[in-house]
Amino acid sequence: MDMMENWCHFRSLLSRLNKQSVVPFINTAITHNIEPQYIAAAFEKQFYYQWIDYIISKTPVLSTFNRISQDKAIHTFVEKDTEQFEINKAKIRAELSSMRPSIDMIAPGSALATLLREGEKKRKQKSIRSLLSETGELVQRIKPCFLMSPLSVSTFLAAGAVHFDVVVFDEASQIFPQDAIGAIYRANQLIVVGDSKQMPPSNFFNATIEAEDNDEETGDVTDFESILDWCSTSMQQLRLRWHYRSRYEQLITFSNKNFYDNDLITFPSSKADKPGVGVDYFHVDGVFDRKSHTNRKEAEYVVDLIYQNIEKYPNRSLGVVAFSVAQQDLIDKLLSKRRQSTPEKEFFFKSSEKEPFFIKNLETVQGDERDTIIFSVAYGIDAQGRLLHNFGPLNRAGGERRLNVAVTRAKCNVQLVSSMHYTDIDLKRTSAEGAKLLREYLDFAENGNIALERAIQVSAFEQFDSDFELEVCEFLRANGFSVDTQVGCSGFRIDLGLKIPDSSDYVLAIECDGATYHSSKNARDRDRLRQEILERMGWKFYRIWSTDWFRNQAVEKQCLLEAANNALQFSSSVVTPQQEPKDEVESFEEVAATQHFEFPPYKAADINKLSRQFLPRDFKGFVKAILEVEAPLSEELLLKRIVGLFGREKVTSVVQRSFEQQMYGYQRYDIVRRNGFLYLANAEQPSFRGVGDIARDIKQIAPEELAAGMLEILKQNMTADKNGLYRTLAQQCGINRVGKAINEQFDSVLRLLSDDVYIDGEQVMLK
């Protein structure tokens, strides 16, 4: 009887299972001695398997899926997609080539004539700046893409001479804002590409004295380290996350953790870590000479290592990176001596190779990459047995970026040569971020991924209500702002507090609609009173809605940066450029040789055939048929050709009156009569026609047709001297001499092009 209650409960439970058709499963589980703790999980697994089977059977796309056909479809797609790239290249080349002007129609005094003349000169050639000022648009037509340094833009391109659709800055972290302005204002669109975790402009370490300026409204571009930093405060950003330089993940793991928040997408290698792959560590019992700032024993080891790499990996490219210029020079000097005694290895040092051997220092290596990089630290214990923890540029603010650049240059292997172990660096004796990361990298090179795991620390003071709040905080810090979380000591906390630089004071309360926001008792507290009180207490207030942040993050980030900058009263500023032109305009004759242009000849209608078809019944239909071939057409020229239809040999007043009578009601035939010319209504803009079936006097060519010819000549020459333009157009009309009457007529034609050209003195240019 004491089991009765349990029995009743069991029967009730069994009844419920039976209603769900689960009893057969229970019986099977008991028969197979399934342990009780696994019964529910086993049922759930079988249930989902059956559910998946059901979905597949009811979904034609899934039920008819076939691996062979899918593989074939993928293979076809890969082929066609690759082919499409080549097709697009050909289309782009063809389109750009079609836009290049022809040398068949050179107007004297034009940009085309100037460029050809300068190309033929042997001496006294115009400067590049002067030549581009005169022929800039033409040169862009020939070469639409310019590859220039910021300095060469200002040097070779006069203001207003050349304008671009897009300007792209690469390695933007190394370009001063003031150096970029010269290129920026010459373009409609700006694209800035760079890595804020890599080296700033080259005089980053120069000592500067900042003049005191109490005017808070005044700003300077020098407030920003580079054009990349400047643009990151106002432009939407896109992180390029795929990393494919490093063929072994170990080469990028350290930087991914310490500089890129483990956000880079890397690709594992099929080969395991071994010598010659990833990061290798070589310890040398060297001594650092503080007078010369060199480590001779380490330099000698590096030279030995260079020749070991030539023996083991003759097909790999190789570069050497030294911490200092002095160590670079010493390695270079020792290598030069070794090369004199080993001429059989000289093939490796050819400068003509695609990736030639180099020896550089931290300041000059950005942008380079090689299969193997030998990295010489040089710093270490001195002759007195002391390590002074002075690691050159790494000890200064931002110096850690030099380290990031150096350790990410290799595609296959970094060979770190050092006279120190990581334990030699005492972080209690230096607060420099660069020194701290050097210690971590030495540890990583010597001990592998275990070192990275050992370096991971989480601040006990960082508190976040949500991942959303954490993301906002990290975004602000990545943009150089000082931010504290959960500001306050009571139950009410500000989610994020933006600090004034170099101060303990806050200036902006940033509220994310997380737990703090939702914990408010009512809307008044939540949406009004809290903000009013904070503003009364001296805060500025900014709220971020999670929905907008996740749905429209780029815009929200930009608004947040604006609010932060306004709160700190930052001022905006400007910029200019620095290097040499890397591209030359190829011979224009070579480019234009493939281009040929000529105006189509004038084609006359077959008047005899048309007269038999339309006359005498339909004179206006006869005229329209002629116009469909020849419009716009001079009435004077038409009458001269059809005067025989009126029984005369010359055009007399009688012929003209008869013509007027016959043309009565011409509008119904979509014929337009204007200023002595006949047109067809709704016809396309007329094109110019050169000498053809019949000779036309200048007065017998419609002004619109002459204007079209003049505009085309300008397009071929880009700019032209007015007299040269007129002579060229007259030649196309079959006239060799240009007199006063023709000049006056061409002046009136030129006025028709006021929307397309502008005139500067005697020069005519396209708008």
Side-chain angles (χ1 to χ4, degrees):
M1 293 300 294
D2 58 348
M3 300 294 290
M4 182 63 73
E5 185 176 348
N6 285 344
W7 175 253
C8 292
H9 180 66
F10 168 71
R11 294 295 299 178
S12 174
L13 184 59
L14 194 63
S15 177
R16 289 168 58 194
L17 291 171
N18 193 44
K19 289 179 181 178
Q20 299 295 334
S21 302
V22 182
V23 171
F25 172 79
I26 298 296
N27 290 333
T28 303
I30 293 171
T31 302
H32 289 83
N33 293 319
I34 302 297
E35 294 185 33
Q37 66 266 32
Y38 298 134
I39 291 178
F43 178 84
E44 189 175 29
K45 182 176 181 180
Q46 290 301 316
F47 175 80
Y48 284 126
Y49 267 126
Q50 291 178 41
W51 194 359
I52 291 169
D53 289 340
Y54 176 80
I55 292 172
I56 291 175
S57 65
K58 292 294 183 182
T59 309
V61 173
L62 298 176
S63 61
T64 59
F65 181 85
N66 179 273
R67 182 181 62 82
I68 296 175
S69 60
Q70 182 72 1
D71 287 346
K72 183 178 179 182
I74 292 173
H75 179 71
T76 302
F77 169 77
V78 170
E79 282 187 341
K80 298 300 181 185
D81 194 46
T82 304
E83 184 180 338
Q84 187 63 39
F85 275 100
E86 299 306 317
I87 292 172
N88 288 339
K89 290 178 189 176
K91 287 171 67 177
I92 292 171
R93 281 196 298 269
E95 184 173 345
L96 293 177
S97 294
S98 68
M99 294 169 59
R100 287 174 168 173
S102 168
I103 59 175
D104 297 324
M105 196 176 299
I106 305 173
S110 67
L112 182 56
T114 300
L115 187 60
L116 286 170
R117 186 174 66 252
E118 290 300 311
E120 293 168 357
K121 283 183 179 179
K122 301 301 181 184
R123 55 192 180 87
K124 293 186 178 180
Q125 292 175 319
K126 294 183 178 181
S127 67
I128 295 176
R129 184 181 180 89
S130 175
L131 184 61
L132 287 175
S133 295
E134 297 181 36
T135 64
E137 289 186 58
L138 174 63
V139 173
Q140 280 188 288
R141 181 80 65 87
I142 301 166
K143 286 284 188 183
C145 184
F146 282 32
L147 180 62
M148 309 179 78
S149 69
L151 181 59
S152 61
V153 169
S154 296
T155 302
F156 296 109
L157 305 182
V162 176
H163 195 79
F164 301 97
D165 295 316
V166 183
V167 60
V168 181
F169 288 98
D170 192 18
E171 297 288 2
S173 68
Q174 291 198 296
I175 301 173
F176 288 111
Q178 61 269 25
D179 288 343
I181 285 297
I184 291 173
Y185 83 79
R186 288 177 168 89
N188 298 333
Q189 184 180 5
L190 170 65
I191 299 174
V192 180
V193 185
D195 185 351
S196 61
K197 304 299 183 182
Q198 295 201 8
M199 288 196 290
S202 57
N203 72 345
F204 177 74
F205 292 110
N206 286 357
T208 58
I209 300 175
E210 295 183 1
E212 260 189 49
D213 190 349
N214 296 322
D215 186 359
E216 294 182 354
E217 298 299 318
T218 303
D220 196 298
V221 287
T222 54
D223 293 342
F224 299 93
E225 195 172 61
S226 68
I227 184 62
L228 181 67
D229 292 335
W230 187 31
C231 291
S232 67
T233 65
S234 57
M235 293 172 63
Q236 295 186 17
Q237 298 178 55
L238 174 67
R239 171 176 275 192
L240 304 177
R241 298 174 60 203
W242 280 27
H243 176 86
Y244 38 80
R245 170 190 290 154
S246 303
R247 295 171 190 165
Y248 304 97
E249 282 185 307
Q250 191 185 16
L251 294 170
I252 193 61
T253 301
F254 176 83
S255 290
N256 198 9
K257 169 195 170 288
N258 288 289
F259 295 96
Y260 304 112
D261 308 318
N262 283 318
D263 194 41
L264 294 182
I265 297 173
T266 61
F267 303 90
S269 169
S270 59
K271 296 181 180 179
D273 186 22
K274 59 181 181 180
V277 165
V279 181
D280 295 327
Y281 174 79
F282 300 94
H283 183 265
V284 179
D285 292 326
V287 174
F288 182 65
D289 184 350
R290 301 209 169 275
K291 289 184 179 179
S292 64
H293 294 89
T294 60
N295 187 325
R296 187 176 184 86
K297 199 165 185 178
E298 192 172 303
E300 291 172 347
Y301 191 92
V302 168
V303 173
D304 291 339
L305 205 52
I306 291 171
Y307 279 88
Q308 289 176 29
N309 277 276
I310 296 174
E311 289 287 343
K312 291 182 179 179
Y313 314 109
N315 296 321
R316 283 189 186 181
S317 57
L318 178 64
V320 177
V321 180
F323 250 53
S324 63
V325 176
Q327 185 73 0
Q328 173 193 350
D329 291 341
L330 178 58
I331 295 171
D332 201 4
K333 180 180 176 182
L334 294 175
L335 179 62
S336 296
K337 287 184 179 180
R338 177 74 68 88
R339 287 175 61 179
Q340 292 174 9
S341 61
T342 55
E344 70 278 5
K345 304 296 184 186
E346 279 302 294
F347 72 90
F348 193 81
F349 302 103
K350 288 181 179 178
S351 59
S352 58
E353 294 294 321
K354 184 179 179 181
E355 292 184 343
F357 172 82
F358 69 72
I359 301 176
K360 295 188 176 184
N361 60 68
L362 287 178
E363 304 290 329
T364 57
V365 75
Q366 182 160 321
D368 290 302
E369 62 179 36
R370 294 294 185 270
D371 294 328
T372 301
I373 292 292
I374 299 175
F375 190 19
S376 175
V377 176
Y379 296 100
I381 296 172
D382 60 17
Q384 287 74 42
R386 297 176 301 167
L387 178 64
L388 297 186
H389 289 75
N390 181 4
F391 305 116
L394 288 192
N395 282 74
R396 306 187 186 182
E400 68 278 0
R401 288 182 288 183
R402 260 77 177 167
L403 180 67
N404 182 39
V405 170
V407 302
T408 55
R409 300 300 94 200
K411 293 183 278 188
C412 297
N413 188 206
V414 167
Q415 298 175 0
L416 179 65
V417 181
S418 175
S419 299
M420 298 184 293
H421 293 288
Y422 80 96
T423 51
D424 294 331
I425 300 177
D426 185 357
L427 295 181
K428 294 179 181 178
R429 297 176 57 192
T430 176
S431 60
E433 182 68 14
K436 172 180 173 290
L437 288 176
L438 174 61
R439 185 183 192 277
E440 283 193 29
Y441 192 72
L442 287 169
D443 187 9
F444 172 66
E446 193 170 358
N447 300 302
N449 290 333
I450 297 174
L452 293 183
E453 296 169 6
R454 184 165 54 235
I456 294 175
Q457 296 179 350
V458 179
S459 172
F461 299 100
E462 292 288 355
Q463 301 176 33
F464 300 96
D465 277 345
S466 65
D467 290 339
F468 163 47
E469 187 180 310
L470 169 63
E471 185 175 346
V472 173
C473 179
E474 289 182 341
F475 170 73
L476 286 169
R477 287 175 177 171
N479 282 275
F481 296 101
S482 179
V483 182
D484 283 351
T485 65
Q486 297 297 302
V487 178
C489 299
S490 65
F492 169 70
R493 305 285 181 101
I494 294 172
D495 293 337
L496 300 172
L498 184 70
K499 277 187 170 182
I500 298 173
D502 303 318
S503 170
S504 299
D505 296 333
Y506 297 97
V507 69
L508 183 67
I510 301 170
E511 185 174 85
C512 308
D513 59 348
T516 301
Y517 179 79
H518 293 297
S519 64
S520 297
K521 300 294 183 183
N522 54 60
R524 180 180 292 120
D525 290 351
R526 184 168 58 240
D527 296 322
R528 182 173 70 84
L529 294 179
R530 284 172 39 173
Q531 181 172 342
E532 284 183 4
I533 293 170
L534 286 172
E535 289 174 344
R536 210 177 295 157
M537 299 291 289
W539 290 82
K540 291 184 180 297
F541 192 87
Y542 187 80
R543 177 176 287 144
I544 306 171
W545 301 107
S546 56
T547 304
D548 286 341
W549 181 268
F550 292 124
R551 192 166 51 191
N552 200 4
Q553 193 169 111
V555 174
E556 286 300 307
K557 283 183 174 179
Q558 184 174 345
C559 292
L560 175 58
L561 287 176
E562 289 175 0
N565 281 313
N566 290 338
L568 295 172
Q569 296 183 338
F570 277 175
S571 302
S572 55
S573 320
V574 228
V575 208
T576 356
Q578 68 192 79
Q579 281 161 312
E580 293 177 32
K582 299 179 180 178
D583 203 10
E584 297 179 0
V585 177
E586 64 185 86
S587 167
F588 180 68
E589 290 89 336
E590 294 177 10
V591 173
T594 58
Q595 302 298 313
H596 179 73
F597 177 83
E598 60 182 5
F599 288 111
Y602 187 93
K603 290 185 178 181
D606 187 339
I607 289 180
N608 291 329
K609 179 181 177 181
L610 293 176
S611 63
R612 290 194 298 271
Q613 182 179 345
F614 288 93
L615 298 178
R617 295 174 293 101
D618 189 1
F619 182 80
K620 290 181 283 294
F622 165 68
V623 172
K624 182 178 180 180
I626 296 173
L627 290 178
E628 286 174 346
V629 178
E630 300 187 37
L633 174 61
S634 164
E635 290 187 2
E636 177 187 348
L637 180 60
L638 175 63
L639 283 173
K640 283 183 178 180
R641 292 164 59 198
I642 65 172
V643 67
L645 299 177
F646 299 94
R648 306 279 178 159
E649 293 183 357
K650 292 185 178 180
V651 178
T652 62
S653 58
V654 175
V655 172
Q656 289 177 339
R657 282 196 301 271
S658 179
F659 177 74
E660 291 292 338
Q661 292 173 357
Q662 294 277 19
M663 289 294 290
Y664 182 78
Y666 64 88
Q667 296 91 341
R668 293 194 300 272
Y669 285 76
D670 291 329
I671 296 173
V672 177
R673 299 179 71 186
R674 184 170 65 241
N675 300 326
F677 289 92
L678 296 168
Y679 305 83
L680 284 176
N682 303 318
E684 296 180 356
Q685 285 290 336
S687 299
F688 180 80
R689 294 159 292 180
V691 178
D693 295 342
I694 55 176
R696 295 185 296 171
D697 187 81
I698 285 286
K699 292 182 180 180
Q700 294 173 341
I701 303 176
E704 295 87 351
E705 184 176 342
L706 288 171
M710 192 176 290
L711 184 61
E712 185 59 46
I713 293 171
L714 268 177
K715 287 179 180 179
Q716 295 295 323
N717 291 267
M718 304 308 295
T719 65
D721 175 78
K722 187 187 291 185
N723 291 330
L725 177 64
Y726 289 178
R727 286 200 300 273
T728 304
L729 182 59
Q731 289 171 2
Q732 297 300 317
C733 297
I735 299 170
N736 294 323
R737 298 188 64 182
V738 179
K740 181 180 178 182
I742 292 178
N743 275 327
E744 290 176 352
Q745 184 169 354
F746 282 172
D747 282 340
S748 63
V749 169
L750 186 58
R751 286 192 288 272
L752 295 177
L753 297 174
S754 59
D755 292 337
D756 300 297
V757 305
Y758 64 91
I759 303 170
D760 183 8
E762 291 298 308
Q763 282 290 312
V764 184
M765 291 158 277
L766 290 171
K767 285 187 177 178

